[in-house]
Amino acid sequence: MPTKKILLFVLLFISISLAQDSTYQKISQMIDSVSSPNMRNHIINLVNAGGHGSRVTLTPGNDSAAFYIKREFEKIPGLTSVTMDTFYITDAVYPYNQKPMFNIVAEIRGKVTPATQYIIGAHYDCSASRMGSTIWTSQWKTIQAPGADDNATGVAIVLELARILSDTANHFNPDYTIKLVAFGAEESGPAYGGHHYGSIHYAKNAKLRNDYISGMLSIDMVGYNDNYNYNSIISDANSKWLGEKMVQANQIFSTGLLLNATPFVYGNYSDHFSFWEEGYKAICLMEFGPPWNNGPYYIANPFYHKTSDTLGTVNMELVKRVGQLSLATFASLTSRFTDVKEEIINPTSIYLSQNYPNPFNPSTNIKVYLPATKNIKLKVYDMLGKEVVELYNGELQSGEHEFKFDGSQLSSGIYMYVLKTDELSISKKMLMIK
């Protein structure tokens, strides 16, 4: 059979397999149900903020926004719980250092391994700091700061994902717990010196509780772009796998976003950074990283942190696609759709990951986890059982190790990789398409 026909057959096989996967179908249906009108309505209400027209931290509009988010979560019957997580900005000037601030936390409890958590978050406060230091310092308590893009867009997506992922009509039952969080006090302000207070409080307490957070996403100002449906993935080296899963989900579920590729942008300017500081894996989605710079698909946002950040500047089609991609990624990670799932390592067992990416061209990565130092062999075979390459043969220390398989000299097809120790043999299939 000619090479092109073989390739077409393989692609058809993959398409049929995906179409027959019930989890894939569920996720696809949920993606289709992401509603621009719902999110637009949330943005309108957050811009208005109880009639105050501002959500600047320590102002009445900020309080109104927090309680609006809580009420909206509480309207969703499928959520396991909704809580107000209280914290204080202790270095704020008196009396603001005594004012309670809030993270609003909604939970969808996992059905198989609920102790493993994935977090999707966005900050609900906003800023008008780019109106100039004199105006900002003197008028921050009363200034109109609608924050439609930054960050009503992110909060609107979090609320919409809470609705869809917890809706029993979708028959989606995640293996792992999903927490949807609206973080307070992300922006800096004249009455205090720092930023990210809500997420710092959350991440530090999670670490103290020994929470197992497998991955976190911060959705921060994702809606300004008149010309392209583009967003940047912001990541550190430790969290790269999560960004790669998002890129793969974008391809598999055809959500239609333009994304950057590895190496992803590094940046500490959103709530994901608080989770990095505590050793957790986290990424951020943002319309560009950073949004005050120009890029190939982006002109620096002229409304960023200004009174002109209104609903009229927001590209709702872009917001919808970001919502769809966020849903696709985290629904996949928390379910049994193994093509994009990050498997959970049992610290007492030997573990061989599904290779990533899969399908691949021409290289892919394979992870091995050992609970103790062992002699191992890791080999790749073709479907006739012929050894293609030996990736490792020898003693390997305990812990997680990653091996790269380069198939540039091989033809398209299915290959088997096999991990052998003195006690057992584990094998998995992978597909190379050139």
Side-chain angles (χ1 to χ4, degrees), residues 96-169:
Y96 298 111
N97 59 347
Q98 298 180 12
K99 178 178 172 56
M101 305 300 298
F102 306 103
N103 296 323
I104 306 94
V105 184
E107 179 182 282
I108 304 170
R109 189 166 177 80
K111 301 300 189 293
V112 178
T113 314
T116 298
Q117 302 175 23
Y118 286 86
I119 295 174
I120 307 171
H123 73 88
Y124 63 87
D125 60 321
C126 65
S127 172
S129 62
R130 290 192 169 229
M131 296 304 295
S133 59
T134 301
I135 293 174
W136 177 233
T137 301
S138 63
Q139 299 181 26
W140 67 270
K141 298 177 188 178
T142 57
I143 196 169
Q144 293 295 291
D149 183 36
D150 189 16
N151 185 28
T153 54
V155 175
I157 290 171
V158 169
L159 288 167
E160 180 68 352
L161 266 55
R163 178 187 71 83
I164 296 170
L165 290 169
S166 67
D167 188 345
T168 55

Side-chain angles (χ1 to χ4, degrees), residues 30-99:
M30 290 191 294
I31 289 170
D32 290 340
S33 70
V34 172
S35 167
S36 289
N38 281 354
M39 293 186 291
R40 187 177 186 275
N41 187 60
H42 288 314
I43 293 171
I44 290 170
N45 284 301
L46 289 166
V47 164
N48 187 47
H52 298 283
S54 171
R55 301 187 312 280
V56 171
T57 299
L58 300 174
T59 68
N62 188 264
D63 296 337
S64 295
F67 286 99
Y68 169 78
I69 295 164
K70 179 176 181 286
R71 288 194 303 272
E72 290 302 303
F73 276 145
E74 290 174 338
K75 290 178 184 178
I76 302 172
L79 294 173
T80 310
S81 65
V82 178
T83 57
M84 298 282 278
D85 174 27
T86 305
F87 65 95
Y88 295 86
I89 305 178
T90 55
D91 62 349
V93 298
Y94 179 83
Y96 298 111
N97 59 347
Q98 298 180 12
K99 178 178 172 56

Side-chain angles (χ1 to χ4, degrees), residues 129-352:
S129 62
R130 290 192 169 229
M131 296 304 295
S133 59
T134 301
I135 293 174
W136 177 233
T137 301
S138 63
Q139 299 181 26
W140 67 270
K141 298 177 188 178
T142 57
I143 196 169
Q144 293 295 291
D149 183 36
D150 189 16
N151 185 28
T153 54
V155 175
I157 290 171
V158 169
L159 288 167
E160 180 68 352
L161 266 55
R163 178 187 71 83
I164 296 170
L165 290 169
S166 67
D167 188 345
T168 55
N170 289 324
H171 304 290
F172 180 74
N173 297 304
D175 289 355
Y176 314 116
T177 294
I178 302 172
K179 293 200 173 183
L180 301 116
V181 187
F183 294 110
E186 191 267 356
E187 306 284 7
S188 59
Y192 51 91
H195 44 73
H196 304 166
Y197 287 93
S199 57
I200 289 171
H201 168 80
Y202 189 100
K204 283 185 178 297
N205 281 335
K207 193 69 173 180
L208 289 172
R209 293 190 300 263
N210 292 316
D211 286 357
Y212 187 85
I213 299 173
S214 193
M216 182 269 179
L217 169 66
S218 173
I219 307 173
D220 192 345
M221 57 179 305
V222 295
Y224 174 74
N225 198 321
D226 291 334
N227 300 310
Y228 299 98
N229 289 317
Y230 177 84
N231 259 229
S232 291
I233 297 172
I234 298 164
S235 175
D236 64 355
N238 190 45
S239 311
K240 182 180 72 170
W241 71 268
L242 187 52
E244 290 170 342
K245 299 296 185 187
M246 183 161 277
V247 170
Q248 188 183 12
N250 189 47
Q251 296 167 345
I252 290 174
F253 292 99
S254 303
T255 50
L257 268 179
L258 288 170
L259 296 170
N260 56 333
T262 53
F264 299 116
V265 179
Y266 177 89
N268 61 1
Y269 33 79
S270 188
D271 288 315
H272 63 286
F273 184 69
S274 303
F275 289 81
W276 290 354
E277 292 284 272
E278 300 303 326
Y280 291 118
K281 298 171 183 177
I283 60 173
C284 176
L285 266 179
M286 189 172 281
E287 59 202 35
F288 191 74
W292 50 84
N293 288 349
N294 294 320
Y297 301 102
Y298 183 78
I299 298 172
N301 188 340
F303 312 109
Y304 170 62
H305 282 190
K306 291 183 179 180
T307 58
S308 51
D309 182 7
T310 62
L311 179 60
T313 70
V314 174
N315 177 350
M316 286 306 302
E317 177 62 26
L318 175 57
V319 174
K320 180 178 179 179
R321 293 189 188 214
V322 173
Q324 289 176 322
L325 176 60
S326 301
L327 187 151
T329 304
F330 280 79
S332 301
L333 286 167
T334 56
S335 70
R336 295 185 181 276
F337 184 55
T338 56
D339 278 341
V340 292
K341 175 182 169 185
E342 177 72 1
E343 295 120 323
I344 303 303
I345 297 173
N346 182 339
T348 63
S349 302
I350 296 173
Y351 157 84
L352 177 66

